[in-house]
Amino acid sequence: MGVPESELTPNVQRALLSLMGEVDQLRKETERLRGRVRELESLADHDVLLPVLNRRAFLREVSKALALAERHEAPSSLVYMDLNGFKEINDTHGHAAGDAALHHVAGLLAAHVRETDAVGRLGGDEFGLVLTLTGHEGAQAKAQELVDIIETTPFVHKGHALSVGAAWGCHPLQAGHKAEEAMAQADAAMYARKQAQKSQADRRQA
């Protein structure tokens, strides 16, 4: 520690050893606190019910994708998704079944996108995805693929095999856009598709 050997008296040695022990203890405590901060940051970013991002953290991912498009002219895509049949599950089988449906869908979405993509719960039974460096046509194809997976993969709740569907809307994340504007556009595209699906279903029943 830079102390001349001639000055290393027993008292100095004891003091140095005590100081080194305290420094080591402080280092361990600092690392523990850093780990706790990382844990709290993760909790703050995730939905209270599901293992996906909450709306605030998801909007941050949208902003990151927009910044990437601005700096490198590399657009990504935003998918806005709303579940079909969720209310019926809640009304018929209870809120625990509704929570199970949300967990089921969140797990399917997370399992079928890349690590570079982001999945978030936007509220209620609405989900969002940021498909990084994915063009509009590719995002539409991926969104439909995910919906097909959701609709053909039932989950079991208290002995009942249940399933939900989904409507989706896409919006490109290009330079010059803002996060909330992109969310509103993707939501509008999703709503239009949902209304078209409802109209088709009504015509089939007529």
Side-chain angles (χ1 to χ4, degrees), residues 89-103:
I89 287 178
N90 262 339
D91 292 346
T92 304
H93 300 280
H95 289 288
D99 290 348
L102 294 175
H103 271 282

Side-chain angles (χ1 to χ4, degrees), residues 33-110:
L33 290 173
R34 284 175 178 164
R36 181 59 177 159
V37 167
R38 289 193 294 268
E39 180 184 341
L40 290 173
E41 287 176 342
S42 177
L43 287 173
D45 283 347
H46 281 76
D47 184 77
V48 294
L49 178 66
L50 309 177
V52 296
L53 298 176
N54 57 29
R55 186 183 182 92
R56 178 186 63 83
F58 183 77
L59 275 170
R60 189 173 66 234
E61 294 302 313
V62 174
S63 296
K64 286 181 182 178
L66 288 169
L68 182 66
E70 187 77 41
R71 288 195 303 269
H72 303 290
E73 297 183 357
S76 298
S77 292
L78 170 64
V79 177
Y80 204 110
M81 195 172 287
D82 180 70
L83 301 187
N84 296 330
F86 177 73
K87 184 179 184 301
E88 289 80 357
I89 287 178
N90 262 339
D91 292 346
T92 304
H93 300 280
H95 289 288
D99 290 348
L102 294 175
H103 271 282
H104 174 67
V105 171
L108 289 175
L109 293 175

